[in-house]
């Protein structure tokens, strides 16, 4: 497979936004290129989808790359594009949810630490 890269944005210092169609096309390219476990591999390991796999890997303190090293993709046994695309989108939303939850927990911990510090200094958080 040969991949061509075209740089349509010549100004590297400026911010560029993708239009909706380009964004969808990019997700399609990522899902085609990214090695993800096939539905057969997920089923053989008793997972309904990639999110269940990611939850288990997190409990075992492993990464998706660790799993893929143990279960390399077999040529000719790949899922159809729409299945790979679904897994890729599920993985993206799973990752975004986990990061959002971690940021929320971090913000709550910081707020609690500030409240404890204010109480420890004799200041009330309500003032």
């Amino acid at each position: 497979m040969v991949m061509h890269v075209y740089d349509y944005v010549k100004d590297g210092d400026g911010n560029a936004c993708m239009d909706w169609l380009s964004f969808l096309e990019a997700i399609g390219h990522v899902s085609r290129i990214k090695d993800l476990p096939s539905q057969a591999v997920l089923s053989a390991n008793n997972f309904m989808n990639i999110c269940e796999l990611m939850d288990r890997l997190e409990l075992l303190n492993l990464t998706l790359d660790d799993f893929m090293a143990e279960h390399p993709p077999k040529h000719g046994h790949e899922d159809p594009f729409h299945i790979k695309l679904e897994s890729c989108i599920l993985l993206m939303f799973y990752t975004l949810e986990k990061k959002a939850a971690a940021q929320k927990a971090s913000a709550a911990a910081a707020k609690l630490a500030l409240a404890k510090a204010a109480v420890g200094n004799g200041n009330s958080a309500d003032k």
Side-chain angles (χ1 to χ4, degrees):
M1 173 188 336
V2 176
M3 186 170 164
H4 299 280
V5 177
Y6 299 98
D7 185 6
Y8 294 110
V9 180
K10 300 299 178 194
D11 179 15
D13 295 330
N15 291 331
C17 295
M18 286 186 195
D19 60 31
W20 180 243
L21 187 59
S22 296
F23 176 71
L24 293 177
E25 183 180 4
I27 293 173
H29 285 297
V30 169
S31 67
R32 190 172 44 85
I33 294 168
K34 176 73 176 155
D35 283 334
L36 295 173
S38 67
Q39 289 298 312
V41 169
L42 291 173
S43 295
N45 288 280
N46 299 316
F47 299 113
M48 293 284 292
N49 58 42
I50 196 160
C51 297
E52 287 185 6
L53 169 64
M54 296 304 293
D55 285 337
R56 177 71 56 80
L57 291 174
E58 185 178 356
L59 289 173
L60 298 172
N61 205 22
L62 297 172
T63 65
L64 182 58
D65 290 336
D66 296 332
F67 183 83
M68 292 306 295
E70 292 180 23
H71 303 87
K74 297 177 184 169
H75 184 68
H77 297 279
E78 298 152 354
D79 287 332
F81 175 74
H82 69 281
I83 301 293
K84 287 185 75 169
L85 180 62
E86 178 184 12
S87 288
C88 185
I89 292 171
L90 282 172
L91 181 59
M92 288 189 320
F93 276 100
Y94 176 89
T95 303
L96 289 172
E97 280 184 11
K98 286 291 185 179
K99 286 186 178 186
Q103 286 177 344
K104 189 175 181 180
S106 178
K111 190 174 181 179
L112 181 62
L114 284 174
K116 285 183 179 181
V119 170
N121 290 334
N123 298 337
S124 173
D126 294 330
K127 290 184 180 179

